[in-house]
Amino acid sequence: MSTSHGYRASWWTYILHQVPHTNFQFEVVDNQFAPQEWSYQQALLFLASIAGLCLAISLVLICVYLIKFCCCASQEDDDSKSRRVCCVTWSCVAAVIICCAGIGIGFYGNSETNDGVYQVTYSLMNANHTLTSINLLVSDTVELLSSVVKSDLTQLEEIFSTRTEFVVMIRNTRRQVESVAQQLTEISSFFWKGAELNPSALAEQVNFIEDYRWLAYILLLLLDLIICLFTLLSLAKQIKWLVIVMTVVSFFVLLLSWGSMGLEMATAVGLSDFCSDPDAYVMNQTQMITNINPDILQYYISCNQDVTNPFRQRLTMSQRALSNIHSQLHGLEREAVPQFPTAERNVLVVQGMLNTTEGNFHHLVALLNCRGLHKDYVDALKGLCYDGMEGILFLLLFSFLSALSFTAAVCSLPRAWKRFRNRDLDYDDMDEDDPFNPQARRQMLHVTGRPHLPSFYSYSSSCDSHSSLRVSAPPISNAPVSQYMNQSALSSGNPRFENIPLIDRQSPPPSYSPSMRTSFISATQEETDTP
């Protein structure tokens, strides 16, 4: 397990790390994270193939169900059919609800994964800023020391050429300055030995991949959500063509769900193998790529009292050299400047260089301390192994729920479509002589043509009064009307408002009643018999 201060592998990392790793020959391989080895890659592919096996099982179940649905028509009574239709509809609705719940889990998991990867890139950029600051600080300090050695110390040596003791002090100062520059250069070379250490390039690459991963999952989640909404719409409105389209699209999304589940399963197991012991893999890969001293890597990765600072000796020597330079300049200022006033300007320039170098040195010591880079390292591990792992597990759950939901939808939607196709058969239970039966009405119009139906009232071009409205109403034959009024009186004992013109009642035409049906049939027969 990791020994990094502030990081401890989570329990789900430990559980996934214990998953058996088997290659294609069904041989158990080591679960240590080694993505460059072919045996370890086979183990991850074998885990991903489990989702492929689930896909094959779901396809077999769908085929068996559809074959039974198409070829084995069962004889059932009306009550059984209605109950079965209700069961099919509610199964589709339940599948859609489960899929919507999975979509919500998927959005959360995608956000968590993105937050974890963002934390990794942010920590890498901070580490790159620290390393770049070290490099710039060392290069600026070395350049400053070199310029002082070439200009001011050389001039002082010429000025004090007549005094041997002062020349010796200047030469000692020159050697100390050169020693400090050499020590700082070696410190900088530790980080850029061999290949250049560039965490920003790694951060940009990770961020580039994460952007496309996040976008792909967003599109998949939105596609699932749209399919769920249109599936509910097709069931509510009983739109047959939309049901067919949603069945086909659900089948393709079913393939995507099982595929994403396999990818997420392999990623979760591989990430758990890395997070169970990240220090060893990071040290090996960093040393292999950049050729950095293992002691330096161990110092920044562990950052505890058991590991000594690999820069302590060089920093101590540089600090002593700066102290010696300071004491020698103080002696020159006290003894040589009164005798050689022209040397005062050069001595002050060297003292300013010394003060700047001491400030840069203290800043460099703070940057070289392990706490800053180790904090970035731990933050990256937490982002990847806490938030990233949690997000991948939620995405895995989303893929599993969506795969199950779309499997149920592909099985249930064809039966619902068959029910929608047989809706017109419900008119068989109606009376064929019923004029308000749509089928009987269409047949009658097809045979006799569209009859002229007497309207109850109509408006003329000038609607000044009720009397004008009554005058403009077309006349109706007395026989049907009297028969209608007599039957209405006999059936109810009271013609109620049926003998009052509709315009006086200020109401729409009366609803369907037996008396109206009889009157309508009589009027239609008379118009048909009339030559």
Side-chain angles (χ1 to χ4, degrees), residues 207-221:
N207 193 26
F208 177 79
I209 297 174
E210 170 59 20
D211 288 340
Y212 281 96
R213 186 211 63 81
W214 178 84
L215 181 60
Y217 269 98
I218 287 294
L219 294 178
L220 179 60
L221 291 166

Side-chain angles (χ1 to χ4, degrees), residues 28 38 40 47 86 106 147 164 175 180 222 250 264-265 288 337 352 387 447 500-501 503 514:
V28 179
W38 173 236
Y40 186 80
L47 290 173
C86 182
S147 64
T164 306
R175 285 195 295 269
V180 172
L222 292 178
S250 298
E264 292 150 3
M265 184 179 299
M288 183 183 303
V337 171
D387 295 337
V447 175
I500 302 176
I503 191 62

Side-chain angles (χ1 to χ4, degrees), residues 478-514:
N478 294 329
V481 175
S482 61
Q483 183 180 2
Y484 162 73
M485 295 300 296
N486 293 332
Q487 290 182 358
S488 175
L490 292 175
S491 60
S492 59
N494 185 5
R496 295 175 294 178
F497 297 103
E498 295 181 357
N499 56 349
I500 302 176
L502 293 177
I503 191 62
D504 292 339
R505 284 187 273 162
Q506 297 182 358
S507 65
S511 60
Y512 172 64
S513 63

Side-chain angles (χ1 to χ4, degrees), residues 311-325:
F311 307 106
R312 177 179 298 175
Q313 182 179 358
R314 291 174 175 80
L315 292 176
T316 301
M317 293 175 62
S318 299
Q319 181 66 38
R320 290 176 181 175
L322 290 175
S323 299
N324 292 333
I325 294 172

Side-chain angles (χ1 to χ4, degrees), residues 68-69 71-77 80-81 84 415 418:
K68 181 181 177 182
F69 167 71
C71 302
C72 301
S74 59
Q75 299 295 330
E76 298 177 348
D77 54 2
S80 299
K81 288 183 179 180
R84 182 174 292 275
R415 185 172 291 276
K418 182 179 180 181

Side-chain angles (χ1 to χ4, degrees), residues 433-471:
D433 296 333
D434 188 357
F436 294 94
N437 184 352
Q439 292 184 351
R441 179 62 178 164
R442 288 195 296 265
Q443 293 176 359
M444 182 180 64
L445 292 178
H446 179 72
V447 175
T448 62
R450 183 177 298 273
H452 176 71
L453 300 180
S455 59
F456 292 94
Y457 60 90
S458 62
Y459 293 95
S460 61
S461 59
S462 59
C463 301
D464 297 332
S465 63
H466 288 176
S467 62
S468 64
L469 292 176
R470 296 191 191 98
V471 172

